Amino acid sequence: MGEGQRYQLGTIGALSLSVVSSVSIVICNKALISTLGFTFATTLTSWHLLVTFCSLHIALWMKWFEHKPFDPRAVMGFGILNGTSIGLLNLSLGFNSVGFYQMTKLAIIPCTVLLEILFFRKIFSRNIQLSLVVLLLGVGIATVTDLQLNVLGSILSLLAVVTTCVAQIMTNTIQKKFKVSSTQLLYQSCPYQAITLFVTGPFVDGFLTNQNVYAFNYTPQVLAFIVLSCLISVAVNFSTFLVIGKTSPVTYQVLGHLKTCLVLAFGYVLLRDPFSWRNILGILIAMVGMILYSYYCTAESQQKVTAAEATQLSQAKESESDPLLSVENGGGILTDDGVTRAPGWNLNKDLQA
């Protein structure tokens, strides 16, 4: 199996793990929050990150991956930013209607595209842009119901969108710049994310729910769902960094909207949530957008690979046909006395001249 095939299989595996783990944790948390009344989402996320860090520390001890320290300021800044973006998203949900919160999540893709164009000079083809528009339109039809605006909620939503976009772009660029794996980056940034949310989580949750997370009645059933949620979160956090590192922040957001559609479908099938023709239409349109995005991304990637191979082949042919290039590249002719001479270079003839 070639390197390209292994990379493709690794990417498919990362995408599959992300979808399965994310849908599973949403269903688990929905039961925890809606059925059992544990509404402390920010604090729960801090516990997720603490369990993820402990799991990775055990994996490091078992030598499943190598610890690779790099710029501590970059790690700390990235970890705090990631934790802040999660807190802001939760605040955005608390201060806005569900419809406006869904619009906030939809705004992450256009914002990410804009930031990558402005600061990284990344080019998105018209086909990619069109597929993203179709995707966002479908998800919008399926999820956005009411739109109630208020100043504080709008500001929090704007901050949540910007911090989320920057954090996801940094997830990709840090892995490439410092040549670290998704596991190495997650292991080093997890403590900063966890501490940020562990400190601010009870205040954010208390502000949103008017309840104290530490005064909650932790029944065995609640504890069982919390433990299950934390265990699933290890796969969610790992796959998030893996997907962004192997693909791009935009692709990760597209995958996130696929999860939204799947959650809606599972909610209807398993939990008998209300479902309308508008939901069905939106999901179908969103699926068309995702298929188009996947098709165009794959086609453009293959074009780039083909162009790179053609360039290398052309350079190799030029090197073989040009004697001067052969000399520069160390090529030559082996003479009877064992001395290598460049093709077309007659030493006696040069001396006679």
Side-chain angles (χ1 to χ4, degrees), residues 100-159:
F100 191 81
Y101 175 71
Q102 291 296 339
M103 285 295 295
T104 299
K105 291 175 70 176
L106 291 177
I108 292 175
I109 284 184
C111 184
T112 304
V113 170
L114 180 63
L115 289 175
E116 290 199 308
I117 290 173
L118 290 177
F119 295 101
F120 296 93
R121 299 290 186 268
K122 190 170 181 179
I123 299 173
F124 294 88
S125 67
R126 287 187 178 180
N127 289 333
I128 295 290
Q129 293 175 25
L130 177 63
S131 64
L132 291 175
V133 169
V134 174
L135 165 67
L136 295 176
L137 176 65
V139 177
I141 291 172
T143 60
V144 177
T145 52
D146 57 325
L147 285 177
Q148 298 174 10
L149 301 179
N150 65 81
V151 176
L152 181 58
S154 300
I155 293 172
L156 288 171
S157 294
L158 177 62
L159 292 174

Side-chain angles (χ1 to χ4, degrees), residues 49-62:
L49 290 164
L50 285 171
V51 171
T52 299
F53 176 73
C54 293
S55 302
L56 289 175
H57 195 71
I58 293 171
L60 179 65
W61 178 69
M62 296 178 71

Side-chain angles (χ1 to χ4, degrees), residues 271-330:
L271 306 175
R272 297 301 174 187
D273 288 343
F275 211 64
S276 66
W277 284 106
R278 176 176 174 170
N279 298 130
I280 297 172
L281 176 63
I283 289 174
L284 290 175
I285 294 174
M287 293 302 294
V288 170
M290 290 174 203
I291 293 170
L292 289 174
Y293 179 81
S294 302
Y295 172 77
Y296 290 132
C297 279
T298 304
E300 290 180 10
S301 297
Q302 289 176 346
Q303 287 176 358
K304 288 179 182 178
V305 171
T306 304
E309 290 176 350
T311 303
Q312 290 177 352
L313 185 62
S314 174
Q315 289 176 347
K317 287 182 178 179
E318 288 177 5
S319 176
E320 290 174 1
S321 61
D322 193 335
L324 291 178
L325 286 177
S326 296
V327 173
E328 289 176 5
N329 293 329

Side-chain angles (χ1 to χ4, degrees), residues 87-101 104 146-158 203-210:
L88 285 170
L89 280 170
N90 288 337
L91 282 172
S92 172
L93 178 58
F95 279 90
N96 293 300
S97 64
V98 175
F100 191 81
Y101 175 71
T104 299
D146 57 325
L147 285 177
Q148 298 174 10
L149 301 179
N150 65 81
V151 176
L152 181 58
S154 300
I155 293 172
L156 288 171
S157 294
L158 177 62
F203 296 102
V204 172
D205 291 333
F207 189 69
L208 295 175
T209 63
N210 293 320

Side-chain angles (χ1 to χ4, degrees), residues 35-289:
T35 307
L36 300 175
F38 187 86
T39 55
F40 311 102
T42 310
T43 304
L44 180 62
T45 305
S46 72
W47 297 345
H48 287 170
L49 290 164
L50 285 171
V51 171
T52 299
F53 176 73
C54 293
S55 302
L56 289 175
H57 195 71
I58 293 171
L60 179 65
W61 178 69
M62 296 178 71
K63 296 182 179 179
W64 287 359
F65 72 97
E66 182 184 353
H67 180 44
K68 184 178 179 182
F70 59 97
D71 190 351
R73 288 180 299 179
V75 175
M76 183 172 67
F78 168 71
I80 293 173
L81 180 66
N82 243 330
T84 303
S85 70
I86 294 170
L88 285 170
L89 280 170
N90 288 337
L91 282 172
S92 172
L93 178 58
F95 279 90
N96 293 300
S97 64
V98 175
F100 191 81
Y101 175 71
Q102 291 296 339
M103 285 295 295
T104 299
K105 291 175 70 176
L106 291 177
I108 292 175
I109 284 184
C111 184
T112 304
V113 170
L114 180 63
L115 289 175
E116 290 199 308
I117 290 173
L118 290 177
F119 295 101
F120 296 93
R121 299 290 186 268
K122 190 170 181 179
I123 299 173
F124 294 88
S125 67
R126 287 187 178 180
N127 289 333
I128 295 290
Q129 293 175 25
L130 177 63
S131 64
L132 291 175
V133 169
V134 174
L135 165 67
L136 295 176
L137 176 65
V139 177
I141 291 172
T143 60
V144 177
T145 52
D146 57 325
L147 285 177
Q148 298 174 10
L149 301 179
N150 65 81
V151 176
L152 181 58
S154 300
I155 293 172
L156 288 171
S157 294
L158 177 62
L159 292 174
V161 169
V162 172
T163 52
T164 301
C165 292
V166 173
Q168 290 181 359
I169 291 172
M170 285 181 68
T171 303
N172 183 271
T173 54
I174 286 177
Q175 290 185 54
K176 291 178 178 176
K177 179 179 179 181
F178 296 102
K179 293 180 173 59
V180 292
S181 68
S182 55
T183 312
Q184 292 167 333
L185 177 59
L186 180 61
Y187 175 71
Q188 294 186 65
S189 63
C190 239
Y192 297 106
Q193 296 181 61
I195 291 170
T196 301
L197 292 175
F198 192 77
V199 172
T200 61
F203 296 102
V204 172
D205 291 333
F207 189 69
L208 295 175
T209 63
N210 293 320
Q211 295 180 12
N212 185 352
V213 63
Y214 299 112
F216 187 78
N217 181 24
Y218 290 92
T219 63
Q221 192 176 11
V222 170
L223 290 174
F225 270 93
I226 288 175
V227 170
L228 179 61
S229 179
C230 289
L231 292 175
I232 298 173
S233 74
V234 177
V236 173
N237 291 324
F238 174 71
S239 62
T240 296
F241 280 59
L242 193 61
V243 168
I244 296 176
K246 281 185 170 293
T247 57
S248 70
V250 174
T251 299
Y252 175 72
Q253 284 300 321
V254 171
L255 188 68
H257 292 306
L258 170 61
K259 299 171 194 173
T260 301
C261 295
L262 290 175
V263 167
L264 286 173
F266 279 117
Y268 173 72
V269 174
L270 300 178
L271 306 175
R272 297 301 174 187
D273 288 343
F275 211 64
S276 66
W277 284 106
R278 176 176 174 170
N279 298 130
I280 297 172
L281 176 63
I283 289 174
L284 290 175
I285 294 174
M287 293 302 294
V288 170

